[in-house]
Every structure is written in structure tokens, then in C-alpha cells.
Amino acid sequence: MIGDVTTPTKSRSYAVQAGIALLLGVIFANMTFNLFGFKVSFVFAPFIILFLWPKGADQNISYLAIFLASLLLDILSGAPLGGWGVIYLPTFAILSQFSGRAETAIMETFIRFLLAISVFSLFFLLGSLTGMLKLNHVSFLKMISVCILLFPVVYMTKDKLRAVLVGEDG
């Protein structure tokens, strides 16, 4: 569109909104649910938000929000401070360089997400094979599967919220 310009105010607004979504995702990621007798963890749910980070969001505010969200997850989970930041920040940097974040249909976005989560999982598995990470492979596979199943729900929720809060012209 000709009028499709991201102003500095809109850019900061996108970054703040995505940062709030990431903070909520981090709180959600720290919870464990009992579904039909199975413990389900959503540890990798924030990666969906990183993947869907809005195009045109202010980079400085985005990096600050991601860093603060990763520190919150470290504190909530009892992990060493900065551990999730070492994962989230490079992941976001890579996704922001290669994803393009163009508005696409859900299936195309889902396939791109599957490719991204596959590469992400490969890095975790390589860390496990080299002995740098202690990884329970079955638990890891369950968490990645839950993240993949959760993606369409988050994507559709994002679209519904955008339609209600922003409208067609925003």
C-alpha cells in the first residue's frame, strides 16, 4: 500500500505491544498444566511471539523488551540470570534478519515457523550431543510439539486482537 508507512510512534507502539505479549508469554511458559493426566509445559511458547514479532517494531525497544522478558523467565524458573537472554536475543536477531515478517496466510506462516523451530531444535540437540547442555530428549520433543500445536491458536488470536484493537487501517 502507498500509505503503508511506519511512523516512529507506531514503531514504538508495535515494540511495546509485542514486549507485553512476550512478558505474558514468559509467565505462561513458566506454568505447567495437567491435561488428561499428562504434564504439559509451554516453555517454548515465547518463541512463537518472537517469530510473530511485528514488522516495523522499534529495534531498540524490542531488544530491551526481550532482554527484560528473558530476565523475568530466569527469575521465575530459578535459572541463572542471562541464560534465556543468551537464547532469546540471538534467536530474535536471526529471525528479524531472515523472516521478513511479511503478512502471509496462516499455512505459509506455519510452514516458515516449522522451519524456524526445526533449526532452533537442531541447535539444542547439537548442544546436547556436544555435552554443553543436559537435555531430556523425550521432554524436549514434547515441549516442541506443544509449541507447534499452540502456534495456530496464537496466530489466530493475534489476528483477532489486531482486527478488534487496530481495525483495517492500522
Side-chain angles (χ1 to χ4, degrees), residues 16-49:
V16 169
Q17 291 171 21
I20 291 169
L22 185 61
L23 287 172
L24 293 174
V26 160
I27 292 169
F28 183 68
N30 202 43
M31 298 178 189
T32 302
F33 297 91
N34 188 353
L35 297 176
F36 307 110
F38 296 102
K39 288 187 178 182
V40 179
S41 177
F42 297 96
V43 171
F44 295 117
F47 287 99
I48 297 171
I49 299 165

PDB file of all heavy atoms in Angstrom, residues 16-49:
ATOM      1  N   VAL A  16       6.335  -2.085  22.011  1.00  0.00           N
ATOM      2  CA  VAL A  16       5.793  -2.179  23.372  1.00  0.00           C
ATOM      3  C   VAL A  16       4.703  -3.247  23.430  1.00  0.00           C
ATOM      4  O   VAL A  16       4.657  -4.054  24.373  1.00  0.00           O
ATOM      5  CB  VAL A  16       5.270  -0.802  23.849  1.00  0.00           C
ATOM      6  CG1 VAL A  16       4.467  -0.932  25.128  1.00  0.00           C
ATOM      7  CG2 VAL A  16       6.433   0.159  24.048  1.00  0.00           C
ATOM      8  N   GLN A  17       3.822  -3.286  22.444  1.00  0.00           N
ATOM      9  CA  GLN A  17       2.765  -4.295  22.420  1.00  0.00           C
ATOM     10  C   GLN A  17       3.349  -5.710  22.345  1.00  0.00           C
ATOM     11  O   GLN A  17       2.910  -6.611  23.061  1.00  0.00           O
ATOM     12  CB  GLN A  17       1.831  -4.057  21.236  1.00  0.00           C
ATOM     13  CG  GLN A  17       0.985  -2.818  21.363  1.00  0.00           C
ATOM     14  CD  GLN A  17       0.245  -2.501  20.084  1.00  0.00           C
ATOM     15  OE1 GLN A  17       0.041  -3.360  19.226  1.00  0.00           O
ATOM     16  NE2 GLN A  17      -0.145  -1.243  19.927  1.00  0.00           N
ATOM     17  N   ALA A  18       4.337  -5.886  21.484  1.00  0.00           N
ATOM     18  CA  ALA A  18       4.980  -7.200  21.370  1.00  0.00           C
ATOM     19  C   ALA A  18       5.720  -7.548  22.654  1.00  0.00           C
ATOM     20  O   ALA A  18       5.733  -8.705  23.080  1.00  0.00           O
ATOM     21  CB  ALA A  18       5.931  -7.217  20.177  1.00  0.00           C
ATOM     22  N   GLY A  19       6.334  -6.543  23.295  1.00  0.00           N
ATOM     23  CA  GLY A  19       7.022  -6.779  24.567  1.00  0.00           C
ATOM     24  C   GLY A  19       6.052  -7.219  25.660  1.00  0.00           C
ATOM     25  O   GLY A  19       6.365  -8.128  26.443  1.00  0.00           O
ATOM     26  N   ILE A  20       4.878  -6.605  25.712  1.00  0.00           N
ATOM     27  CA  ILE A  20       3.863  -7.017  26.690  1.00  0.00           C
ATOM     28  C   ILE A  20       3.404  -8.439  26.401  1.00  0.00           C
ATOM     29  O   ILE A  20       3.252  -9.255  27.310  1.00  0.00           O
ATOM     30  CB  ILE A  20       2.683  -6.020  26.689  1.00  0.00           C
ATOM     31  CG1 ILE A  20       3.139  -4.673  27.259  1.00  0.00           C
ATOM     32  CG2 ILE A  20       1.500  -6.563  27.472  1.00  0.00           C
ATOM     33  CD1 ILE A  20       2.138  -3.548  27.075  1.00  0.00           C
ATOM     34  N   ALA A  21       3.200  -8.746  25.109  1.00  0.00           N
ATOM     35  CA  ALA A  21       2.819 -10.117  24.740  1.00  0.00           C
ATOM     36  C   ALA A  21       3.902 -11.109  25.140  1.00  0.00           C
ATOM     37  O   ALA A  21       3.604 -12.203  25.635  1.00  0.00           O
ATOM     38  CB  ALA A  21       2.558 -10.191  23.235  1.00  0.00           C
ATOM     39  N   LEU A  22       5.163 -10.726  24.970  1.00  0.00           N
ATOM     40  CA  LEU A  22       6.265 -11.610  25.356  1.00  0.00           C
ATOM     41  C   LEU A  22       6.317 -11.802  26.867  1.00  0.00           C
ATOM     42  O   LEU A  22       6.554 -12.919  27.341  1.00  0.00           O
ATOM     43  CB  LEU A  22       7.599 -11.080  24.830  1.00  0.00           C
ATOM     44  CG  LEU A  22       8.806 -11.983  25.061  1.00  0.00           C
ATOM     45  CD1 LEU A  22       8.625 -13.330  24.368  1.00  0.00           C
ATOM     46  CD2 LEU A  22      10.071 -11.311  24.561  1.00  0.00           C
ATOM     47  N   LEU A  23       6.099 -10.736  27.628  1.00  0.00           N
ATOM     48  CA  LEU A  23       6.056 -10.879  29.092  1.00  0.00           C
ATOM     49  C   LEU A  23       4.946 -11.827  29.516  1.00  0.00           C
ATOM     50  O   LEU A  23       5.152 -12.681  30.393  1.00  0.00           O
ATOM     51  CB  LEU A  23       5.883  -9.519  29.758  1.00  0.00           C
ATOM     52  CG  LEU A  23       7.100  -8.604  29.744  1.00  0.00           C
ATOM     53  CD1 LEU A  23       6.733  -7.223  30.270  1.00  0.00           C
ATOM     54  CD2 LEU A  23       8.234  -9.199  30.551  1.00  0.00           C
ATOM     55  N   LEU A  24       3.767 -11.708  28.915  1.00  0.00           N
ATOM     56  CA  LEU A  24       2.675 -12.637  29.219  1.00  0.00           C
ATOM     57  C   LEU A  24       3.033 -14.061  28.789  1.00  0.00           C
ATOM     58  O   LEU A  24       2.729 -15.025  29.488  1.00  0.00           O
ATOM     59  CB  LEU A  24       1.387 -12.180  28.538  1.00  0.00           C
ATOM     60  CG  LEU A  24       0.783 -10.880  29.055  1.00  0.00           C
ATOM     61  CD1 LEU A  24      -0.405 -10.459  28.202  1.00  0.00           C
ATOM     62  CD2 LEU A  24       0.393 -10.999  30.516  1.00  0.00           C
ATOM     63  N   GLY A  25       3.708 -14.172  27.630  1.00  0.00           N
ATOM     64  CA  GLY A  25       4.147 -15.486  27.162  1.00  0.00           C
ATOM     65  C   GLY A  25       5.166 -16.124  28.091  1.00  0.00           C
ATOM     66  O   GLY A  25       5.161 -17.335  28.308  1.00  0.00           O
ATOM     67  N   VAL A  26       6.042 -15.305  28.674  1.00  0.00           N
ATOM     68  CA  VAL A  26       7.052 -15.806  29.606  1.00  0.00           C
ATOM     69  C   VAL A  26       6.382 -16.306  30.891  1.00  0.00           C
ATOM     70  O   VAL A  26       6.755 -17.355  31.429  1.00  0.00           O
ATOM     71  CB  VAL A  26       8.095 -14.707  29.898  1.00  0.00           C
ATOM     72  CG1 VAL A  26       8.857 -14.974  31.162  1.00  0.00           C
ATOM     73  CG2 VAL A  26       9.048 -14.576  28.720  1.00  0.00           C
ATOM     74  N   ILE A  27       5.394 -15.572  31.367  1.00  0.00           N
ATOM     75  CA  ILE A  27       4.659 -16.019  32.559  1.00  0.00           C
ATOM     76  C   ILE A  27       3.943 -17.328  32.255  1.00  0.00           C
ATOM     77  O   ILE A  27       3.974 -18.265  33.044  1.00  0.00           O
ATOM     78  CB  ILE A  27       3.690 -14.922  33.032  1.00  0.00           C
ATOM     79  CG1 ILE A  27       4.477 -13.732  33.570  1.00  0.00           C
ATOM     80  CG2 ILE A  27       2.735 -15.463  34.095  1.00  0.00           C
ATOM     81  CD1 ILE A  27       3.659 -12.489  33.832  1.00  0.00           C
ATOM     82  N   PHE A  28       3.315 -17.409  31.086  1.00  0.00           N
ATOM     83  CA  PHE A  28       2.636 -18.625  30.648  1.00  0.00           C
ATOM     84  C   PHE A  28       3.633 -19.779  30.490  1.00  0.00           C
ATOM     85  O   PHE A  28       3.329 -20.919  30.825  1.00  0.00           O
ATOM     86  CB  PHE A  28       1.910 -18.348  29.337  1.00  0.00           C
ATOM     87  CG  PHE A  28       1.106 -19.487  28.804  1.00  0.00           C
ATOM     88  CD1 PHE A  28      -0.035 -19.908  29.461  1.00  0.00           C
ATOM     89  CD2 PHE A  28       1.489 -20.128  27.646  1.00  0.00           C
ATOM     90  CE1 PHE A  28      -0.784 -20.966  28.963  1.00  0.00           C
ATOM     91  CE2 PHE A  28       0.754 -21.175  27.139  1.00  0.00           C
ATOM     92  CZ  PHE A  28      -0.394 -21.594  27.799  1.00  0.00           C
ATOM     93  N   ALA A  29       4.824 -19.482  29.998  1.00  0.00           N
ATOM     94  CA  ALA A  29       5.848 -20.508  29.774  1.00  0.00           C
ATOM     95  C   ALA A  29       6.343 -21.120  31.071  1.00  0.00           C
ATOM     96  O   ALA A  29       6.845 -22.244  31.077  1.00  0.00           O
ATOM     97  CB  ALA A  29       7.022 -19.919  29.000  1.00  0.00           C
ATOM     98  N   ASN A  30       6.216 -20.399  32.143  1.00  0.00           N
ATOM     99  CA  ASN A  30       6.705 -20.894  33.424  1.00  0.00           C
ATOM    100  C   ASN A  30       5.690 -21.804  34.123  1.00  0.00           C
ATOM    101  O   ASN A  30       5.992 -22.392  35.142  1.00  0.00           O
ATOM    102  CB  ASN A  30       7.080 -19.719  34.332  1.00  0.00           C
ATOM    103  CG  ASN A  30       8.043 -20.128  35.403  1.00  0.00           C
ATOM    104  OD1 ASN A  30       8.989 -20.853  35.136  1.00  0.00           O
ATOM    105  ND2 ASN A  30       7.779 -19.687  36.606  1.00  0.00           N
ATOM    106  N   MET A  31       4.494 -21.915  33.559  1.00  0.00           N
ATOM    107  CA  MET A  31       3.449 -22.746  34.160  1.00  0.00           C
ATOM    108  C   MET A  31       3.486 -24.158  33.585  1.00  0.00           C
ATOM    109  O   MET A  31       3.870 -24.364  32.439  1.00  0.00           O
ATOM    110  CB  MET A  31       2.073 -22.141  33.883  1.00  0.00           C
ATOM    111  CG  MET A  31       1.865 -20.789  34.465  1.00  0.00           C
ATOM    112  SD  MET A  31       0.224 -20.222  34.002  1.00  0.00           S
ATOM    113  CE  MET A  31       0.296 -18.539  34.562  1.00  0.00           C
ATOM    114  N   THR A  32       3.069 -25.105  34.404  1.00  0.00           N
ATOM    115  CA  THR A  32       2.912 -26.480  33.955  1.00  0.00           C
ATOM    116  C   THR A  32       1.466 -26.876  34.194  1.00  0.00           C
ATOM    117  O   THR A  32       0.923 -26.649  35.270  1.00  0.00           O
ATOM    118  CB  THR A  32       3.852 -27.427  34.722  1.00  0.00           C
ATOM    119  OG1 THR A  32       5.202 -26.978  34.522  1.00  0.00           O
ATOM    120  CG2 THR A  32       3.731 -28.847  34.226  1.00  0.00           C
ATOM    121  N   PHE A  33       0.839 -27.444  33.180  1.00  0.00           N
ATOM    122  CA  PHE A  33      -0.560 -27.810  33.255  1.00  0.00           C
ATOM    123  C   PHE A  33      -0.693 -29.329  33.249  1.00  0.00           C
ATOM    124  O   PHE A  33       0.119 -30.031  32.661  1.00  0.00           O
ATOM    125  CB  PHE A  33      -1.332 -27.229  32.068  1.00  0.00           C
ATOM    126  CG  PHE A  33      -1.338 -25.730  32.050  1.00  0.00           C
ATOM    127  CD1 PHE A  33      -0.347 -25.037  31.381  1.00  0.00           C
ATOM    128  CD2 PHE A  33      -2.319 -25.018  32.704  1.00  0.00           C
ATOM    129  CE1 PHE A  33      -0.338 -23.656  31.354  1.00  0.00           C
ATOM    130  CE2 PHE A  33      -2.329 -23.639  32.687  1.00  0.00           C
ATOM    131  CZ  PHE A  33      -1.339 -22.954  32.013  1.00  0.00           C
ATOM    132  N   ASN A  34      -1.740 -29.811  33.882  1.00  0.00           N
ATOM    133  CA  ASN A  34      -2.044 -31.233  33.889  1.00  0.00           C
ATOM    134  C   ASN A  34      -3.241 -31.445  32.973  1.00  0.00           C
ATOM    135  O   ASN A  34      -4.370 -31.130  33.336  1.00  0.00           O
ATOM    136  CB  ASN A  34      -2.349 -31.702  35.311  1.00  0.00           C
ATOM    137  CG  ASN A  34      -2.471 -33.202  35.406  1.00  0.00           C
ATOM    138  OD1 ASN A  34      -2.465 -33.906  34.404  1.00  0.00           O
ATOM    139  ND2 ASN A  34      -2.606 -33.691  36.624  1.00  0.00           N
ATOM    140  N   LEU A  35      -2.986 -31.955  31.769  1.00  0.00           N
ATOM    141  CA  LEU A  35      -4.039 -32.209  30.807  1.00  0.00           C
ATOM    142  C   LEU A  35      -4.217 -33.702  30.612  1.00  0.00           C
ATOM    143  O   LEU A  35      -3.312 -34.384  30.128  1.00  0.00           O
ATOM    144  CB  LEU A  35      -3.713 -31.557  29.455  1.00  0.00           C
ATOM    145  CG  LEU A  35      -3.607 -30.041  29.427  1.00  0.00           C
ATOM    146  CD1 LEU A  35      -3.177 -29.566  28.052  1.00  0.00           C
ATOM    147  CD2 LEU A  35      -4.928 -29.412  29.812  1.00  0.00           C
ATOM    148  N   PHE A  36      -5.357 -34.201  31.039  1.00  0.00           N
ATOM    149  CA  PHE A  36      -5.695 -35.611  30.897  1.00  0.00           C
ATOM    150  C   PHE A  36      -4.630 -36.525  31.494  1.00  0.00           C
ATOM    151  O   PHE A  36      -4.281 -37.553  30.928  1.00  0.00           O
ATOM    152  CB  PHE A  36      -5.929 -35.968  29.425  1.00  0.00           C
ATOM    153  CG  PHE A  36      -6.923 -35.073  28.750  1.00  0.00           C
ATOM    154  CD1 PHE A  36      -6.511 -34.170  27.788  1.00  0.00           C
ATOM    155  CD2 PHE A  36      -8.266 -35.130  29.086  1.00  0.00           C
ATOM    156  CE1 PHE A  36      -7.420 -33.335  27.167  1.00  0.00           C
ATOM    157  CE2 PHE A  36      -9.186 -34.306  28.477  1.00  0.00           C
ATOM    158  CZ  PHE A  36      -8.764 -33.411  27.512  1.00  0.00           C
ATOM    159  N   GLY A  37      -4.073 -36.123  32.630  1.00  0.00           N
ATOM    160  CA  GLY A  37      -3.079 -36.922  33.317  1.00  0.00           C
ATOM    161  C   GLY A  37      -1.651 -36.716  32.836  1.00  0.00           C
ATOM    162  O   GLY A  37      -0.732 -37.325  33.361  1.00  0.00           O
ATOM    163  N   PHE A  38      -1.455 -35.874  31.834  1.00  0.00           N
ATOM    164  CA  PHE A  38      -0.116 -35.593  31.314  1.00  0.00           C
ATOM    165  C   PHE A  38       0.298 -34.194  31.732  1.00  0.00           C
ATOM    166  O   PHE A  38      -0.481 -33.257  31.635  1.00  0.00           O
ATOM    167  CB  PHE A  38      -0.082 -35.680  29.777  1.00  0.00           C
ATOM    168  CG  PHE A  38      -0.375 -37.037  29.241  1.00  0.00           C
ATOM    169  CD1 PHE A  38      -1.624 -37.327  28.710  1.00  0.00           C
ATOM    170  CD2 PHE A  38       0.593 -38.025  29.263  1.00  0.00           C
ATOM    171  CE1 PHE A  38      -1.898 -38.582  28.214  1.00  0.00           C
ATOM    172  CE2 PHE A  38       0.330 -39.278  28.762  1.00  0.00           C
ATOM    173  CZ  PHE A  38      -0.921 -39.572  28.242  1.00  0.00           C
ATOM    174  N   LYS A  39       1.534 -34.065  32.185  1.00  0.00           N
ATOM    175  CA  LYS A  39       2.058 -32.739  32.498  1.00  0.00           C
ATOM    176  C   LYS A  39       2.514 -32.079  31.207  1.00  0.00           C
ATOM    177  O   LYS A  39       3.302 -32.637  30.453  1.00  0.00           O
ATOM    178  CB  LYS A  39       3.223 -32.835  33.483  1.00  0.00           C
ATOM    179  CG  LYS A  39       2.793 -33.205  34.876  1.00  0.00           C
ATOM    180  CD  LYS A  39       3.949 -33.128  35.840  1.00  0.00           C
ATOM    181  CE  LYS A  39       3.455 -33.467  37.239  1.00  0.00           C
ATOM    182  NZ  LYS A  39       4.515 -33.363  38.224  1.00  0.00           N
ATOM    183  N   VAL A  40       1.981 -30.881  30.961  1.00  0.00           N
ATOM    184  CA  VAL A  40       2.282 -30.152  29.736  1.00  0.00           C
ATOM    185  C   VAL A  40       2.941 -28.838  30.115  1.00  0.00           C
ATOM    186  O   VAL A  40       2.425 -28.080  30.926  1.00  0.00           O
ATOM    187  CB  VAL A  40       0.992 -29.895  28.918  1.00  0.00           C
ATOM    188  CG1 VAL A  40       1.306 -29.109  27.667  1.00  0.00           C
ATOM    189  CG2 VAL A  40       0.310 -31.196  28.584  1.00  0.00           C
ATOM    190  N   SER A  41       4.089 -28.580  29.511  1.00  0.00           N
ATOM    191  CA  SER A  41       4.832 -27.356  29.759  1.00  0.00           C
ATOM    192  C   SER A  41       4.917 -26.546  28.474  1.00  0.00           C
ATOM    193  O   SER A  41       5.084 -27.099  27.393  1.00  0.00           O
ATOM    194  CB  SER A  41       6.239 -27.699  30.255  1.00  0.00           C
ATOM    195  OG  SER A  41       6.987 -26.537  30.429  1.00  0.00           O
ATOM    196  N   PHE A  42       4.809 -25.244  28.611  1.00  0.00           N
ATOM    197  CA  PHE A  42       4.830 -24.346  27.460  1.00  0.00           C
ATOM    198  C   PHE A  42       6.099 -23.499  27.445  1.00  0.00           C
ATOM    199  O   PHE A  42       6.062 -22.326  27.120  1.00  0.00           O
ATOM    200  CB  PHE A  42       3.596 -23.443  27.487  1.00  0.00           C
ATOM    201  CG  PHE A  42       2.303 -24.200  27.360  1.00  0.00           C
ATOM    202  CD1 PHE A  42       1.584 -24.562  28.488  1.00  0.00           C
ATOM    203  CD2 PHE A  42       1.821 -24.557  26.120  1.00  0.00           C
ATOM    204  CE1 PHE A  42       0.399 -25.259  28.374  1.00  0.00           C
ATOM    205  CE2 PHE A  42       0.634 -25.246  25.999  1.00  0.00           C
ATOM    206  CZ  PHE A  42      -0.084 -25.602  27.129  1.00  0.00           C
ATOM    207  N   VAL A  43       7.234 -24.112  27.770  1.00  0.00           N
ATOM    208  CA  VAL A  43       8.492 -23.396  27.888  1.00  0.00           C
ATOM    209  C   VAL A  43       8.879 -22.688  26.591  1.00  0.00           C
ATOM    210  O   VAL A  43       9.442 -21.600  26.615  1.00  0.00           O
ATOM    211  CB  VAL A  43       9.624 -24.351  28.335  1.00  0.00           C
ATOM    212  CG1 VAL A  43      10.983 -23.693  28.256  1.00  0.00           C
ATOM    213  CG2 VAL A  43       9.359 -24.846  29.741  1.00  0.00           C
ATOM    214  N   PHE A  44       8.551 -23.276  25.461  1.00  0.00           N
ATOM    215  CA  PHE A  44       8.958 -22.690  24.189  1.00  0.00           C
ATOM    216  C   PHE A  44       7.890 -21.796  23.566  1.00  0.00           C
ATOM    217  O   PHE A  44       8.055 -21.327  22.443  1.00  0.00           O
ATOM    218  CB  PHE A  44       9.388 -23.785  23.207  1.00  0.00           C
ATOM    219  CG  PHE A  44      10.605 -24.518  23.666  1.00  0.00           C
ATOM    220  CD1 PHE A  44      10.562 -25.867  23.952  1.00  0.00           C
ATOM    221  CD2 PHE A  44      11.798 -23.846  23.833  1.00  0.00           C
ATOM    222  CE1 PHE A  44      11.694 -26.543  24.390  1.00  0.00           C
ATOM    223  CE2 PHE A  44      12.933 -24.511  24.274  1.00  0.00           C
ATOM    224  CZ  PHE A  44      12.871 -25.858  24.551  1.00  0.00           C
ATOM    225  N   ALA A  45       6.805 -21.524  24.273  1.00  0.00           N
ATOM    226  CA  ALA A  45       5.747 -20.637  23.767  1.00  0.00           C
ATOM    227  C   ALA A  45       6.262 -19.235  23.432  1.00  0.00           C
ATOM    228  O   ALA A  45       5.812 -18.649  22.441  1.00  0.00           O
ATOM    229  CB  ALA A  45       4.594 -20.578  24.754  1.00  0.00           C
ATOM    230  N   PRO A  46       7.196 -18.657  24.197  1.00  0.00           N
ATOM    231  CA  PRO A  46       7.691 -17.329  23.817  1.00  0.00           C
ATOM    232  C   PRO A  46       8.357 -17.283  22.439  1.00  0.00           C
ATOM    233  O   PRO A  46       8.433 -16.215  21.830  1.00  0.00           O
ATOM    234  CB  PRO A  46       8.697 -16.993  24.920  1.00  0.00           C
ATOM    235  CG  PRO A  46       8.187 -17.734  26.107  1.00  0.00           C
ATOM    236  CD  PRO A  46       7.670 -19.030  25.543  1.00  0.00           C
ATOM    237  N   PHE A  47       8.806 -18.413  21.936  1.00  0.00           N
ATOM    238  CA  PHE A  47       9.403 -18.409  20.600  1.00  0.00           C
ATOM    239  C   PHE A  47       8.365 -18.117  19.526  1.00  0.00           C
ATOM    240  O   PHE A  47       8.695 -17.576  18.475  1.00  0.00           O
ATOM    241  CB  PHE A  47      10.127 -19.729  20.329  1.00  0.00           C
ATOM    242  CG  PHE A  47      11.390 -19.829  21.092  1.00  0.00           C
ATOM    243  CD1 PHE A  47      11.438 -20.543  22.270  1.00  0.00           C
ATOM    244  CD2 PHE A  47      12.533 -19.178  20.665  1.00  0.00           C
ATOM    245  CE1 PHE A  47      12.599 -20.616  23.003  1.00  0.00           C
ATOM    246  CE2 PHE A  47      13.702 -19.247  21.391  1.00  0.00           C
ATOM    247  CZ  PHE A  47      13.735 -19.961  22.565  1.00  0.00           C
ATOM    248  N   ILE A  48       7.108 -18.448  19.803  1.00  0.00           N
ATOM    249  CA  ILE A  48       6.040 -18.102  18.871  1.00  0.00           C
ATOM    250  C   ILE A  48       5.927 -16.580  18.786  1.00  0.00           C
ATOM    251  O   ILE A  48       5.805 -16.010  17.703  1.00  0.00           O
ATOM    252  CB  ILE A  48       4.698 -18.726  19.318  1.00  0.00           C
ATOM    253  CG1 ILE A  48       4.784 -20.246  19.307  1.00  0.00           C
ATOM    254  CG2 ILE A  48       3.558 -18.245  18.424  1.00  0.00           C
ATOM    255  CD1 ILE A  48       3.586 -20.947  19.923  1.00  0.00           C
ATOM    256  N   ILE A  49       5.995 -15.933  19.931  1.00  0.00           N
ATOM    257  CA  ILE A  49       5.898 -14.472  19.964  1.00  0.00           C
ATOM    258  C   ILE A  49       7.112 -13.847  19.288  1.00  0.00           C
ATOM    259  O   ILE A  49       6.983 -12.872  18.543  1.00  0.00           O
ATOM    260  CB  ILE A  49       5.722 -13.981  21.407  1.00  0.00           C
ATOM    261  CG1 ILE A  49       4.424 -14.555  21.975  1.00  0.00           C
ATOM    262  CG2 ILE A  49       5.723 -12.460  21.475  1.00  0.00           C
ATOM    263  CD1 ILE A  49       4.277 -14.464  23.460  1.00  0.00           C
TER     264      ILE A  49
END
